[in-house]
Each structure stands twice: as C-alpha cells, then as structure tokens.
Amino acid sequence: IRMLIIKMLLLLSLIRLVAIVLFFVWRVRHPYADGMWLWWISMVGDLWFGVTWLLNQVAKLNPVKRVPNLALLEQQFDLPDGNSNLPCLDVFINTVDPINEPMIYTMNSIISILAADYPVDKHACYLSDDGGSIIHYDGLLETAKFAALWVPFCRKHSIEPRAPESYFSLNTRPYTGNAPQDFVNDRRHMCREYDEFKERLDALFTLIPKRSDVYNHAAAKEGAKATWMADGTQWPGTWIDPAENHKKGQHVGIVKVMLKHPSYEPELGLGASTNSPLDFSAVDVRLPMLVYISREKSPSCDHQKKAGAMNVQLRVSALLTNAPFIINFDGDHYVNNSKAFRAGICFMLDRREGDNTAFVQFPQRFDDVDPTDRYCNHNRVFFDATLLGLNGIQGPSYVGTGCMFRRVALYGVDPPRWRPDDVKIVDSSTKFGSSASFISSILPAADQERSIMSPPALEESVMADLAHVMTCAYEDGTEWGSDVGWVYNIATEDVVTGFRLHRNGWRSMYCRMEPDAFAGTAPINLTERLYQILRWSGGSLEMFFSRNCPLLAGRRLHPMQRIAYANMTAYPVSSVFLVFYLLFPVIWIFRGQFYIQKPFPTYVLYLVIVIALTELIGMVEIKWAGLTLLDWIRNEQFYIIGATAVYPTAVFHIVLKLFGLKGVSFKLTAKQVASSTSDKFAELYAVQWAPMLIPTMVVIAVNVCAIGASIGKAIVGGWSLMQMADAGLGLVFNAWILVLIYPFALGMIGRWSKRPYILFILFVIAFILIALVDIAIQAMRSGFVRFHFKSSGGATFPTSWGL
C-alpha cells in the first residue's frame, strides 16, 4: 500500500507539473489584462510558486521510514547480570527563567530523564541554568530527593510516562509492572509525595528570601543584600537583589554535582517500614549522575544565547563524563517513552549507516494543545511528512529539542566516509581552545566502545579546568560557534548547526516511535505562537543570505538535500506574492471589474486544476504519513496565517539586515503556565495585541468587504449572466481565504471564540452592512434611487426618497 501511495504521488506530481507548464505557456501567449503591471507581478509570483513547489516535491521523491529494533538492541548489548554494554549518553537541558519557563516543567523533564530505561551508570543529566538562579539550584536539590522515590517506583511498576506531572494527569492505563498487589497503595503514596514536592518548589520563592534575610541580619554588614545557600555560603550566581558580580549577565561560572556517578553494581532498596510504606527491596534504587551548570557571564561579552550555553555544556560534560552521544532538551520537554534513548542509540549503532550518522531527530509532540489544535502547534505535516521525506536523502534537519548527537560530529570532525585513515582528529589546539584537559578528551569521545571510566573526583585541579572552559573569554580566537559546537549569530541555531553537519558529509535519521518519544509544552496563545514562527522564519532567511547558504555548500551536501535546505530557508519570500493576491480584491471593490488575465474563464479553469491537484497531492501525502485530514487543514490554515502576519515581517527583517541595519528583534517564546482543570485552555482565549497582527486583519477586512460589495452590486448593479458567473468565482476565492484565516479570526474575538458560531454571525452581519453601504454608494453615484413604503397606522410616509 505504501509503494502504491508513493507511485500515486509521483503520478499526480507529474500531472500537476504538466498543468503548470501548459498554464504558463497559455499565459505567455495571452498577455491580456486590465493592467499589464498586474499581469507581470502575477507572472513572477506564479513562476515563484511553481518552482518552489517543484523543488519541494523533488526533495521528497524517496521517502523512507525507519523503525528502531529495540529487541535486537537489548539482545546484543544487555547482559544477563543486569549490566549493559550500551555506550554512554549525556543529556542536556536548557533553561533561563523560572517564570517564563515554569520550574515545574523543567524539574519534570529532569525527573523523566533520571527515570529513563537506560543503564543508570551510562547516562548523566546536565541542567544549564543560563540565568544563574538559586531557585533552579535549590529546586534541583528538591528534585534529587523526590527522584530517590519516584525512579524506583517507576522501575517497580513499569510506569509510563515517567514525568510525574503527565503521569498523574492521565487516566488509568493497563498495569504492566511486576507487583500489582502493591500498586494502588504505592501510587497513592507517590501522589501525596508529588503534591508535597510541588509545594516545596513553590515555597522556594518565599523560603530563599527569608533565609537570606536571616543570614544577612546575622552578618550585620552594610551594602548589598546577599542571597544565601542552605549551607550558609553566599550564592555565587544571580542574587535576588542584584549586586555587582551577582546579577543577570554578570556572575562567575558554577558547576555543582547534585547526584554523583552511581556504582556499576545494582543497589537494592529497603523494604517497607513505618517511615516509608514503599517496598523497594527488589528494585535497583541507583540514580544517574545529575549536574547543575551556570556559565560565567560578563557585560563585556556576547554570550550567544542558547547556542553559547550548549557549547559550555559540551565542554563541561567532556571533562566529567565525556559520553560519545548527547541528547538535548528544552526545559519544557520530557521523556514520554522511557525507551526513547535506546531508540536513538539503535540508529547510532546501525551497522549500515550508523557510523556516518551525526544526529537522530525525534518529532516534537505536545500534550497541552487544544483538541482541535487551532494554531497548528503539533505541526505534524512538517514532522511526519516533510522530515520523513528527507529521510531518504541525507536525513532530516535538526529542529531543536529532542535530538541525539554524536559528540565528535559536533566537534567538526569529518564522518568516516570522508575521513582518510591517517587524518588527525585533533589537528589544532587553537580550534578547540586552550584547555589541555578538554583537548585530551576528544579522542576518547570518538571511541564509542571504550571502557567506561568513573568521572574524575572534583579535586581542585578539576574544578580549575571546569572553571576555565566556562569563562567568557575561553572561545576567543577559536572555532567555537562556527565550525565547532552549536552555531552562533543566528536565531535558528538548530537548523544551521544541522546544516553544517550535513555540509561536512554527515547524515541524519528520523525516529518516530509509539508511544511518542518526547513531549512538551506549546504556546497556545495566538500572539506567542506567531512570535515563535517569526523567530523561525526570520532565522531561516538569515541563513539563506549568510555564509551558510545551501547554494554555496560544498560537494559533500547531497544535491537533493541542497534543494531541501534552499526551500526550507527561502520559503518566507512566497508571502510577498501571496499577500498581493490576498489583497487584490480591494481593486475589484472600487472598480467593479478588474481582471489579472483575460479570457477570465480560461484563467480560472487553469487555476482550479492546478490548485485542486495541489490539494489532492497534499491529501495523498498525509495518507502516506499516517496523518489525519484535520492535520492537513490546520497546516493549510496556519500557512496562510503565517504568510500574512509573520513572513512579511521576516522578509522586512532580512532587507534591513542586508542594508546593514539592526533588523527585527526576535522575542523568545514564553511557555504556558499550568492552569486549573476547569479552564485548562484559558490562554487560548487571551488576546495579546502586537503590530504583526495588523496585516492579517487587513486581509480579513478586504475579503469581507469584497463579499459584501459583490452582494450589493448583484442587487442593484444590473449585471449580466457572465458578470454574475465571474463574480461567483471571485466569491469562492474570498470565502476560501476566510476559511483559511478562520483560526486567526477566532483568536481575535477572545473568549467569544468558545462559541465559534458567533464568528459566523459576525461575518454575516458584516456582509449585510457592507452590502447596504455599497448600495448607498451606488445610489449617490447615480443620483437617485427609489424605496417604496406603505402607509400604516395613520402615519404617512413618502412614496420615494430622492438622493
């Protein structure tokens, strides 16, 4: 069936290509329009749409689905004594603000990582707190205490998912553990423990200031009020009351090992007792290594945002655990399938393509989106169709969170297929910086089958090395941020970093599994969602007009991969022509008739054929990808919303940049704060005004006016049958645009959108009012119109009104 669908896609694409060619030939032979300037603009726009569609289809001609064989992985690497020969894995989590990124999400992410079904002594978790906040540090201490109960509970009862917030919010699932007689009591106890854990996290916001006030009072020193840790020492990061060397953007580097590396032998827990009713006597209670990091900040340095923080994690982890594989998470994502790490490793160890695989990208999933996914947060067409299509070339692009990397690939090392046998992996000390300890860690990281060694003891020399690689000046004169680590100076550091790896000859793989590997929190407010799209689209255009332009890449980049990246970075340009088409009815409103192309019926016929084939191809694609019709509709709708509200701003941004100006400032997306069950999607109905909402509102107004004006003209205009047919075809276009922008219009009416029929009523009222206005305008132009009335109740009305 899958092969049949792929053949059908090829056939439909070929038919559409023929239709497009015939359309252009016909238009060139019939250059007739009411305005030749309009004809030329539409020709250029149609040519752009045709070429970009063709390139997009060409890049998806060889879609490949790959499924991890977890049973075979277990058979080959897990040992009978409970140990494992799986390679080590370092997990990176990034956060910066406990308010915009609620701490409960970050700590749930960490808990789910600690509880993942991966050898305990083979994976470590690193939290990068780029704000240097003691809230995150103390929260991590509480998380480590709670994890000591939660992780054994998950292992004993095979809990899924292993993020407690998500687990306790789900309906009951079939039990798959080994102790059903204990499950009900254990679950009830863990539920209470989790509620208390959340209360302790919330209490930190008041506990820490009180504790600091006590210590400050005891110290009896004048000047800045310090923030104090529980052990009676001053917090080296950002203080509650900022002071010199203790504020955001200015503090020393911090490394704290919260949970030490576990022993290699299983450690069984204690049996039930009066102090703890949980029986872990048959459960391994070890926890993976957990490390807190906050890099040094200085006002005189450009810290390169998230990319800079991840490069610091890369160096710090190299000195502590140096795992050959890395996986990164945003602070609001968690492990939804406990075997997800094994799935990624399965691809990395594949005997056919594994050694040449730089990263494995998992799809992004969200569990807090409204049931109809109004703003296309799931973006399934991109993740499950587009990225899957790239799987048959050089692999999917890197799209941020939920991606597993080969460490040496991030170091800029060439893949084995392009690497001569006698090449030196470490060829220059200036490339990686001046840390001898870090440079000496590169070769062992390239050997994924090396014997596992314990992390070094945190002696003074080791702490000095860690502090050195976290300094602001460490990367000066090196290739960090360009050819080593995550790429700097661009909003979409993820896509550019993945492109750099593909350009160097590495490939990537796409991994989709059931249940979904990871899940997270999405912005369900319209404005926040548009800001997110603005950052992505603006960064994509920046990439196209930079040294990382796909058209300038070397011969190691697969030709089809080059085309895919070109489409992926230049797509916002389409909005220039699309907005023009969407605003075209404004001319028709004032002139009554205005044709882009004549003869108009033939022009419309070609358009209908081409658009119908496009939609049919889209439906076949989602059928092959296993998606629903709603996924496809939402994708179509949000593309139009983005093309009117966001992409023009992105184009404006790159124009400013090309002229040496600052460009548009990209706002980071604020995460949704957990709401009460009674109003779970309250943020969905909140209206946050922003300038980029205006263009889409103008498009709505123009198309609503076009429909209303056509009704008015049809009533008193005296149109012929042919004119009525032409107007009817125009109305179909106007109505279709309103259907596509429908989610945006719902967002604009706020809480009224809980009853969508209200929007329909508002549209109908607008049509009627505009029709009446149009009739009145026509009457004023003609100088006279008659309205007949009958006398009633003794009142006398004039038989006509002269205007």
Side-chain angles (χ1 to χ4, degrees):
I1 294 177
R2 187 177 299 123
M3 290 304 299
L4 180 63
I5 293 176
I6 293 175
K7 290 180 179 179
M8 186 181 299
L9 274 174
L10 293 175
L11 178 61
L12 290 173
S13 298
L14 181 61
I15 294 173
R16 189 181 189 275
L17 178 61
V18 172
I20 289 175
V21 172
L22 293 176
F23 182 39
F24 274 103
V25 171
W26 177 81
R27 293 202 69 185
V28 171
R29 290 181 176 178
H30 300 80
Y32 311 123
D34 287 339
M36 288 306 296
W37 61 272
L38 193 63
W39 183 87
W40 276 109
I41 293 176
S42 66
M43 280 292 293
V44 174
D46 289 347
L47 180 63
W48 174 270
F49 290 134
V51 171
T52 53
W53 171 83
L54 178 61
L55 296 180
N56 185 53
Q57 292 303 115
V58 165
K60 296 187 289 187
L61 290 179
N62 185 34
V64 174
K65 287 185 177 180
R66 293 184 175 92
V67 180
N69 191 336
L70 298 180
L72 181 60
L73 186 78
E74 181 179 353
Q75 177 184 336
Q76 293 186 353
F77 289 92
D78 287 352
L79 304 177
D81 62 358
N83 289 316
S84 174
N85 288 327
L86 284 171
C88 288
L89 176 67
D90 287 338
V91 187
F92 295 171
I93 305 178
N94 293 275
T95 189
V96 64
D97 190 326
I99 305 300
N100 287 334
E101 298 174 328
M103 189 167 58
I104 187 64
Y105 294 147
T106 304
M107 298 308 155
N108 263 268
S109 177
I110 292 168
I111 293 169
S112 69
I113 292 167
L114 298 178
D117 183 7
Y118 201 81
V120 182
D121 57 317
K122 299 294 182 70
H123 79 286
C125 179
Y126 292 83
L127 172 65
S128 172
D129 173 21
D130 220 27
S133 170
I134 192 174
I135 293 288
H136 282 129
Y137 174 77
D138 278 13
L140 208 55
L141 288 174
E142 295 293 342
T143 299
K145 295 175 184 176
F146 175 74
L149 292 176
W150 175 258
V151 174
F153 168 72
C154 291
R155 292 172 183 161
K156 179 179 179 180
H157 298 292
S158 300
I159 296 300
E160 296 287 349
R162 298 191 175 181
E165 187 72 21
S166 298
Y167 173 72
F168 288 122
S169 65
L170 293 176
N171 295 327
T172 56
R173 291 186 174 186
Y175 184 77
T176 58
N178 299 318
Q181 67 279 3
D182 297 337
F183 176 67
V184 174
N185 290 332
D186 286 359
R187 187 183 187 280
R188 186 181 297 115
H189 180 77
M190 285 309 306
C191 187
R192 290 196 299 268
E193 290 285 346
Y194 182 60
D195 288 339
E196 293 175 5
F197 166 67
K198 289 195 292 185
E199 290 176 0
R200 292 196 298 271
L201 288 184
D202 291 339
L204 291 176
F205 289 91
T206 56
L207 176 63
I208 294 174
K210 289 181 179 178
R211 181 179 68 203
S212 298
D213 287 342
V214 171
Y215 279 113
N216 285 325
H217 181 72
K221 291 182 179 179
E222 296 182 358
K225 294 182 178 179
T227 297
W228 295 76
M229 303 168 65
D231 61 3
T233 58
Q234 292 185 3
W235 174 243
T238 303
W239 286 356
I240 298 173
D241 296 317
E244 191 70 17
N245 298 321
H246 293 286
K247 56 187 176 182
K248 287 186 178 181
Q250 185 181 12
H251 57 76
V252 298
I254 309 169
V255 175
K256 300 283 186 180
V257 176
M258 318 298 285
L259 293 173
K260 295 182 179 180
H261 190 271
S263 62
Y264 299 118
E265 297 297 327
E267 296 178 5
L268 300 182
L270 301 176
S273 65
T274 54
N275 294 328
S276 176
L278 301 174
D279 182 7
F280 293 147
S281 58
V283 182
D284 186 359
V285 296
R286 291 177 300 165
L287 296 178
M289 187 175 181
L290 177 61
V291 182
Y292 173 92
I293 301 173
S294 185
R295 57 181 170 149
E296 183 189 29
K297 290 287 191 71
S298 171
S300 61
C301 293
D302 184 354
H303 302 292
Q304 302 296 342
K305 303 180 177 67
K306 179 181 175 181
M310 295 181 74
N311 282 338
V312 170
Q313 280 180 294
L314 196 59
R315 296 193 293 270
V316 169
S317 63
L319 299 183
L320 291 178
T321 48
N322 201 29
F325 300 105
I326 294 165
I327 188 165
N328 75 286
F329 285 91
D330 288 343
D332 62 324
H333 274 66
Y334 65 90
V335 181
N336 186 64
N337 186 330
S338 63
K339 296 186 180 295
F341 294 168
R342 290 176 175 265
I345 290 294
C346 193
F347 285 107
M348 288 294 194
L349 302 183
D350 181 72
R351 294 177 179 176
R352 294 160 296 183
E353 292 287 349
D355 288 343
N356 292 293
T357 298
F359 61 92
V360 177
Q361 179 65 60
F362 293 83
Q364 294 182 16
R365 299 290 191 246
F366 305 100
D367 53 14
D368 62 335
V369 177
D370 58 295
T372 63
D373 192 12
R374 178 189 292 181
Y375 302 132
C376 195
N377 285 105
H378 288 304
N379 208 3
R380 290 186 182 272
V381 173
F382 173 74
F383 284 110
D384 295 334
T386 302
L387 292 190
L388 206 56
L390 298 179
N391 223 15
I393 313 173
Q394 212 171 334
S397 58
Y398 167 39
V399 289
T401 183
C403 189
M404 180 178 290
F405 288 93
R406 189 179 301 273
R407 183 183 285 268
V408 292
L410 288 170
Y411 289 161
V413 176
D414 290 337
R417 69 172 60 168
W418 292 99
R419 189 192 312 159
D421 294 335
D422 58 347
V423 70
K424 293 182 178 180
I425 294 180
V426 184
D427 56 358
S428 171
S429 60
T430 59
K431 177 179 180 180
F432 301 103
S434 57
S435 172
S437 298
F438 173 76
I439 294 172
S440 64
S441 73
I442 297 176
L443 283 177
D447 182 9
Q448 65 192 35
E449 297 179 356
R450 76 190 194 284
S451 58
I452 306 302
M453 297 182 298
S454 297
L458 296 181
E459 299 174 350
E460 186 174 345
S461 59
V462 176
M463 294 303 295
D465 285 338
L466 291 172
H468 179 45
V469 298
M470 286 193 297
T471 57
C472 300
Y474 180 82
E475 297 178 356
D476 294 348
T478 70
E479 295 183 15
W480 285 97
S482 57
D483 293 326
V484 178
W486 278 265
V487 177
Y488 293 161
N489 298 315
I490 195 165
T492 50
E493 76 285 334
D494 48 359
V495 177
V496 181
T497 300
F499 168 76
R500 193 198 75 207
L501 296 174
H502 284 141
R503 184 187 61 194
N504 290 345
W506 291 94
R507 69 155 296 121
S508 59
M509 294 191 185
Y510 182 74
C511 180
R512 187 174 71 182
M513 59 189 303
E514 294 294 337
D516 293 320
F518 312 117
T521 304
I524 64 172
N525 176 272
L526 174 61
T527 306
E528 290 294 339
R529 176 74 168 125
L530 292 178
Y531 275 126
Q532 185 183 60
I533 301 299
L534 176 60
R535 191 171 70 253
W536 294 343
S537 57
S540 296
L541 275 179
E542 278 191 30
M543 175 180 169
F544 187 82
F545 290 97
S546 71
R547 62 186 288 267
N548 293 298
C549 177
L551 303 180
L552 304 178
R555 64 188 180 92
R556 295 184 184 182
L557 189 68
H558 192 284
M560 293 297 101
Q561 196 79 13
R562 189 189 307 269
I563 290 174
Y565 269 112
N567 265 333
M568 199 180 303
T569 53
Y571 69 91
V573 177
S574 301
S575 65
V576 175
F577 303 104
L578 190 58
V579 170
F580 166 78
Y581 280 123
L582 298 181
L583 293 179
F584 168 71
V586 74
I587 301 177
W588 183 86
I589 292 172
F590 293 109
R591 292 195 54 173
Q593 292 181 357
F594 195 91
Y595 297 120
I596 296 177
Q597 181 83 44
K598 295 179 179 180
F600 187 65
T602 308
Y603 174 68
V604 171
L605 178 62
Y606 271 115
L607 282 181
V608 169
I609 292 173
V610 171
I611 294 175
L613 284 171
T614 303
E615 305 302 337
L616 186 58
I617 291 171
M619 291 182 183
V620 175
E621 282 184 343
I622 67 168
K623 179 66 176 177
W624 168 79
L627 305 178
T628 66
L629 186 61
L630 180 61
D631 293 323
W632 173 69
I633 292 174
R634 289 303 189 220
N635 184 74
E636 294 283 295
Q637 289 177 325
F638 209 77
Y639 173 76
I640 295 296
I641 294 172
T644 54
V646 176
Y647 302 158
T649 307
V651 173
F652 179 66
H653 162 75
I654 198 62
V655 169
L656 293 178
K657 295 278 287 188
L658 290 176
F659 281 96
L661 301 177
K662 183 178 181 181
V664 178
S665 178
F666 296 134
K667 176 181 178 292
L668 292 179
T669 307
K671 305 302 181 183
Q672 179 191 5
V673 180
S675 57
S676 63
T677 306
S678 60
D679 200 10
K680 184 178 181 181
F681 304 115
E683 190 179 355
L684 181 68
Y685 310 111
V687 180
Q688 296 178 2
W689 293 100
M692 65 180 170
L693 300 176
I694 296 175
T696 310
M697 296 176 69
V698 172
V699 170
I700 293 175
V702 166
N703 284 274
V704 167
C705 288
I707 295 176
S710 65
I711 296 173
K713 288 178 172 61
I715 293 175
V716 297
W719 281 351
S720 66
L721 185 61
M722 181 60 71
Q723 289 173 320
M724 293 287 287
D726 290 350
L729 293 172
L731 287 180
V732 171
F733 173 80
N734 300 133
W736 178 239
I737 294 304
L738 292 179
V739 168
L740 292 177
I741 303 183
Y742 173 77
F744 179 93
L746 281 179
M748 288 296 95
I749 64 175
R751 292 191 172 275
W752 285 6
S753 64
K754 292 182 178 180
R755 300 174 178 83
Y757 64 84
I758 293 178
L759 182 61
F760 176 78
I761 295 173
L762 291 175
F763 275 147
V764 171
I765 293 173
F767 296 152
I768 294 173
L769 292 176
I770 293 168
L772 293 175
V773 171
D774 186 82
I775 292 172
I777 292 174
Q778 292 185 71
M780 293 175 65
R781 287 177 176 175
S782 62
F784 188 82
V785 65
R786 292 180 180 273
F787 294 97
H788 295 282
F789 296 88
K790 291 183 179 180
S791 59
S792 174
T796 302
F797 294 91
T799 57
S800 66
W801 292 80
L803 299 177

